[in-house]
Amino acid sequence: MELPTPDDLRERRHEVDLTQSALAERAGVSQPLIARIESGDVDPRLSTLRRIVTALDAAEGGIRRARDLMGESVVHVAPDDSVREAIDRMGEAGYSQLPVVHDEYPVGIISNGDIRRSGTDDAAELPVADVMRESITTVAPDATLDAVDTHLDHHDAVIVVESGRMAGIITEADVAAHLS
């Protein structure tokens, strides 16, 4: 995955006819930071880069929504599945975390870290419900990227819920792919 270069950002800013100050205001950062990023003097944090790209998208009239970023094919486990099943699914899919879904609605998340922190040597034999975290963030498909971005600053993933059922998932990797 490729992130936009300083030249890409400068070119996009010029295409939408924004000054560095106007872009900085829209992205919630300082004008000197925009100047330093565009000159290549500083590598921005991913969250800063997301805010800048979101501001450029909005200026282009293409305000993105959660539905534009979400992965619709969501690998998941059920609360009564074994932790072994979760480990196997994460390994097969190359993921470090999976949503836990009951009756098509997300009820938690399980990650490799949760399994390690379970405090037992036989965690693989436990049901997912005994190891998962119940705190999970959900948004509607029309949630703005700013809302998704805010959630991703504090959570591993954001689950998109529509009509009472899981419609997709958004992770940092999805946002980074969008930035490219």
Side-chain angles (χ1 to χ4, degrees):
M1 113 185 61
E2 259 183 63
L3 296 176
T5 66
D7 289 337
D8 295 337
L9 293 173
R10 182 173 34 279
E11 185 176 308
R12 281 191 70 193
R13 182 177 59 79
H14 285 284
E15 286 174 3
V16 295
D17 199 28
L18 285 178
T19 64
Q20 288 180 344
S21 295
L23 177 57
E25 184 176 327
R26 288 173 180 234
V29 299
S30 69
Q31 180 276 325
L33 179 59
I34 297 289
R36 292 186 69 202
I37 291 169
E38 286 185 356
S39 70
D41 288 344
V42 67
D43 287 327
R45 293 178 38 186
L46 183 57
S47 60
T48 301
L49 191 55
R50 279 195 314 245
R51 290 198 310 264
I52 293 168
V53 170
T54 298
L56 288 167
D57 285 347
E60 291 171 339
I63 298 174
R64 300 284 205 174
R65 301 292 175 171
R67 76 173 56 82
D68 300 322
L69 286 180
M70 71 182 190
E72 293 180 30
S73 176
V74 182
V75 177
H76 63 279
V77 291
D80 57 347
D81 288 344
S82 72
V83 170
R84 167 61 51 213
E85 289 176 74
I87 292 168
D88 290 345
R89 285 190 196 155
M90 283 189 276
E92 290 166 6
Y95 299 149
S96 61
Q97 62 187 356
L98 293 177
V100 181
V101 178
H102 178 69
D103 290 336
E104 298 186 48
Y105 192 82
V107 295
I109 195 161
I110 186 169
S111 70
N112 289 326
D114 298 324
I115 296 165
R116 282 192 313 275
R117 287 188 295 276
S118 69
T120 179
D121 292 334
D122 60 349
E125 306 311 314
L126 297 172
V128 166
D130 289 357
V131 178
M132 71 180 206
R133 283 175 283 144
E134 292 180 355
S135 67
I136 191 162
T137 303
T138 62
V139 296
D142 63 346
T144 65
L145 283 190
D146 284 340
V148 171
D149 188 40
T150 299
H151 291 303
L152 285 174
D153 284 342
H154 305 285
H155 301 279
D156 296 329
V158 175
I159 304 295
V160 182
V161 174
E162 184 171 29
S163 301
R165 59 179 283 280
M166 182 172 63
I169 187 169
I170 302 171
T171 65
E172 286 284 347
D174 298 313
V175 175
H178 163 72
L179 294 177
S180 66

